[in-house]
Amino acid sequence: MPSAFSNSADDTAAASPRTRPQRMGELATLPVFFDLKGKRVAMAGGSDGTAWKAELLAASGARVDLYCEAEHLTDEMRIVLALSFADGEIRHHDRPWALDCFDGAALAVADCESEAEAQSFYCAAKGAGVPVNVIDKPAFCQFRFGTIVNRSPVVVGISTDGAAPILGQAIRRRIETLLPATLTGWAKLAAKVRAEVMDRLQPGPARRAFWERFSDEAFTRKAPDDVAEADARRFVRDLVNRPQAGGRVTLVGAGPGEAELLTLKAVRALQAADVILFDDLVSDDILELARREAKRMLVGKRASRDSCRQEDINRMMVQFARAGKHVVRLKSGDVSVFGRSGEEIAELKREGIPVAIVPGITAASALAAGFGVSLTHRDRAQQVRFVTGHSQKGGLPDDLDWQALADDHATTIFYMGGRMAPRIAAELIAHGLPAETPVAVAASISRPEEARLVGTLATLAEIVGRIGIERPILIGVGRVFADCEPESLAGFEPERDRGAGETSRLQAKAS
């Protein structure tokens, strides 16, 4: 078993005077959420900005008293008042604000044209002990509204501390795409089952197992119905009778290496994991997205190095899942492309352990993106083949159909084929593929240390030798690479060997 599995917390503490990471960085402002149901808010001004704030406050359950002469109301404000007239959420007082308007108010909001008026309103509200906000005048604000993503009862507030409201809106748009509209229904269902969860499940693994499973379904299923509620309550009963019932395994594709190429579903799985068994090629940036409390264990398999046996990996997955843990098996690329996921799935099914698959971007797609080509350019290739360059015996598989692979109208991608490059070139040429057929070779795809070179089948071995056969190499063969610009290795530094000497990131988490 690799030494990275050992607990090295003592070594980590000795290496640095800081024994624990800083838990919270400096905050420009404190995000808080006011409960305004049935509370009174004093407002001054009749502008469009005030209209929006009045609607927002009314939507939060507040009773808004608006102080403004009728002649100063904008059309937008008149519409808001008309719509809220029946419910009385916003009451208009046809007069300027005065000191009495702050009596019993929970908040005070105003839109003031001049600095002098803003200062006057601010001082009056502050003197009455009422938190105050003067719209678009940060110097006279004790609190800010920020930008909101509404999936009530889930509400997300975004603040740039007044520095860049447009940036806040851009962030909101990003978050809007991450949170499905059905989240509202799931949050309401959470409120319905919460009492049963709190009453019947002890704090700790059982409760977390329930909420992690519930959260996964909130992001992957449609709007909840009676069946979803029944399933949730049934899972509570299962956890009461068998605390380990929450054990499961998720096979996650980590993509070619760059963290931004992870799928949203992969990120959610990492953030819900108790244990992460990760391959040697998974980058540090991707592991940084995982749940901080998760146990991380390197189970990488690399040629010519001490490696964790597949049987050991299978055993660990079963062992942790039976203990009620959510195990994420994190694989480079896509789990279903030369990732040996078939063996793992079969073992988990034999043991009766639930298993899910989260696909990832396979290295061949990243290769095409890096070289700026289409693997299926209709004028040059009518098919794509993925071929392993590393069998269980360590070399090329003995049963490859080289005659079929030597097809001038196809694109062939050899995975893990660095050491076999000379034989790959020789076999393809011997079976009829022209020696001048374009090839593209890449190592550490999508990472800062990525290296790319292009050439021909005749020079394939030389190209791979320049990049380094010890690196994770992908070889593309076919006419689709004919127009690739020659790449340079200038400034390229070979990837540091992740052998026995690299333990710092593992020591910090292995325990």
Side-chain angles (χ1 to χ4, degrees):
M1 195 70 66
S3 60
F5 291 173
S6 63
N7 186 341
S8 304
D10 292 339
D11 295 339
T12 303
S16 171
R18 183 188 293 275
T19 58
R20 59 183 298 176
Q22 183 178 358
R23 295 182 65 88
M24 179 65 68
E26 182 179 346
L27 287 173
T29 187
L30 179 67
V32 296
F33 294 88
F34 275 105
D35 180 4
L36 293 176
K37 291 181 176 59
K39 305 266 178 47
R40 181 173 171 274
V41 175
M43 296 196 73
S47 66
D48 289 354
T50 313
W52 161 239
K53 295 298 191 296
E55 276 195 287
L56 186 64
L57 291 162
S60 301
R63 294 182 293 105
V64 180
D65 283 321
L66 176 68
Y67 298 88
C68 180
E69 296 97 325
E71 61 188 51
H72 295 149
L73 297 176
T74 64
D75 291 341
E76 181 68 22
M77 178 57 87
R78 293 178 187 276
I79 292 173
V80 170
L81 289 172
L83 292 174
S84 65
F85 178 76
D87 296 327
E89 300 159 335
I90 306 174
R91 297 178 295 181
H92 176 221
H93 304 268
D94 187 7
R95 67 177 179 87
W97 68 270
L99 292 177
D100 65 321
C101 75
F102 301 109
D103 294 342
L107 296 177
V109 180
D111 191 0
C112 303
E113 293 186 5
S114 68
E115 294 290 310
E117 183 184 358
Q119 184 173 15
S120 178
F121 186 88
Y122 173 81
C123 291
K126 187 176 178 182
V130 180
V132 58
N133 174 285
V134 179
I135 298 171
D136 291 336
K137 289 183 170 54
F140 301 111
C141 292
Q142 291 180 308
F143 69 92
R144 295 180 178 85
F145 285 89
T147 303
I148 292 174
V149 178
N150 185 13
R151 298 290 188 272
S152 189
V154 175
V155 179
V156 180
I158 304 158
S159 170
T160 60
D161 198 33
I166 299 302
L167 175 60
Q169 294 172 17
I171 295 171
R172 176 186 59 79
R173 289 193 295 270
R174 294 287 185 93
I175 295 177
E176 287 275 10
T177 65
L178 301 177
L179 302 182
T182 55
L183 196 60
T184 292
W186 285 98
K188 291 178 178 177
L189 176 57
K192 292 176 66 175
V193 301
R194 177 177 174 80
E196 184 174 353
V197 173
M198 301 299 285
D199 288 342
R200 304 195 65 186
L201 298 180
Q202 293 296 317
R207 275 191 199 171
R208 205 173 67 77
F210 174 84
W211 289 118
E212 292 289 4
R213 180 81 62 87
F214 185 93
S215 299
D216 283 351
E217 294 188 351
F219 281 96
T220 56
R221 291 175 58 172
K222 297 179 180 179
D225 51 17
D226 293 341
V227 173
E229 181 175 350
D231 288 344
R233 296 188 187 278
R234 185 181 305 112
F235 189 41
V236 171
R237 294 193 296 272
D238 289 344
L239 288 170
V240 170
N241 297 324
R242 292 187 305 115
Q244 69 274 22
R248 57 194 170 120
V249 175
T250 305
L251 307 183
V252 176
E258 184 181 349
E260 290 190 0
L261 294 179
L262 279 177
T263 65
L264 297 177
K265 196 169 184 178
V267 173
R268 286 197 290 266
L270 286 172
Q271 294 175 350
D274 296 306
V275 179
I276 301 172
L277 307 179
F278 65 96
D279 281 349
D280 193 63
L281 298 180
V282 173
S283 69
D284 291 352
D285 290 343
I286 288 175
L287 289 173
E288 281 300 309
L289 296 173
R291 177 172 166 261
R292 294 294 178 189
E293 297 82 4
K295 178 193 291 288
R296 306 177 192 187
M297 304 177 71
L298 171 62
V299 294
K301 298 187 290 293
R302 291 283 291 274
S304 303
R305 299 188 188 166
D306 291 336
S307 299
C308 187
R309 297 183 306 160
Q310 186 62 50
E311 294 82 358
D312 293 329
I313 298 173
N314 293 349
R315 176 183 55 77
M316 283 188 285
M317 288 192 297
V318 171
Q319 175 184 334
F320 284 122
R322 280 181 171 169
K325 307 294 186 182
H326 178 197
V327 181
V328 165
R329 175 70 175 99
L330 189 60
K331 297 170 176 283
S332 179
D334 178 69
V335 299
S336 301
V337 179
F338 303 124
R340 301 186 75 172
S341 61
E343 301 169 42
E344 296 174 353
I345 293 169
E347 178 69 14
L348 293 167
K349 286 184 176 179
R350 275 194 297 270
E351 298 292 336
I353 294 171
V355 57
I357 297 175
V358 177
I361 295 176
T362 189
S365 297
L367 175 80
F371 283 101
V373 303
S374 168
L375 296 179
T376 55
H377 191 300
R378 62 181 180 178
D379 295 331
R380 299 177 180 178
Q382 281 72 57
Q383 57 179 306
V384 178
R385 288 88 61 96
F386 296 164
V387 181
T388 179
H390 186 81
S391 69
Q392 286 183 312
K393 298 178 181 179
L396 286 166
D398 296 329
D399 55 354
L400 288 179
D401 186 346
W402 289 104
Q403 192 66 49
L405 292 176
D407 184 348
D408 193 38
H409 297 282
T411 302
T412 304
I413 308 296
F414 289 89
Y415 284 67
M416 304 165 289
R419 292 177 177 276
M420 296 294 107
R423 185 182 167 194
I424 290 172
E427 292 282 4
L428 290 175
I429 292 173
H431 286 82
L433 199 60
E436 62 272 16
T437 300
V439 298
V441 181
S444 303
I445 297 174
S446 82
R447 304 187 188 203
E449 67 272 18
E450 177 178 0
R452 296 196 302 266
L453 286 173
V454 295
T456 64
L457 202 54
T459 62
L460 177 59
E462 176 189 347
I463 292 172
V464 171
R466 290 180 63 196
I467 290 179
I469 61 173
E470 297 295 334
R471 307 189 69 204
I473 284 178
L474 205 68
I475 299 171
V477 180
R479 290 188 294 131
V480 298
F481 301 107
D483 297 330
C484 293
E485 293 292 332
E487 299 290 337
S488 171
L489 291 180
F492 161 66
E493 295 182 2
E495 182 183 26
R496 179 166 56 91
D497 186 21
R498 192 187 299 184
E502 184 200 18
T503 59
S504 58
R505 74 177 174 122
L506 303 174
Q507 289 172 345
K509 281 296 178 182
S511 58

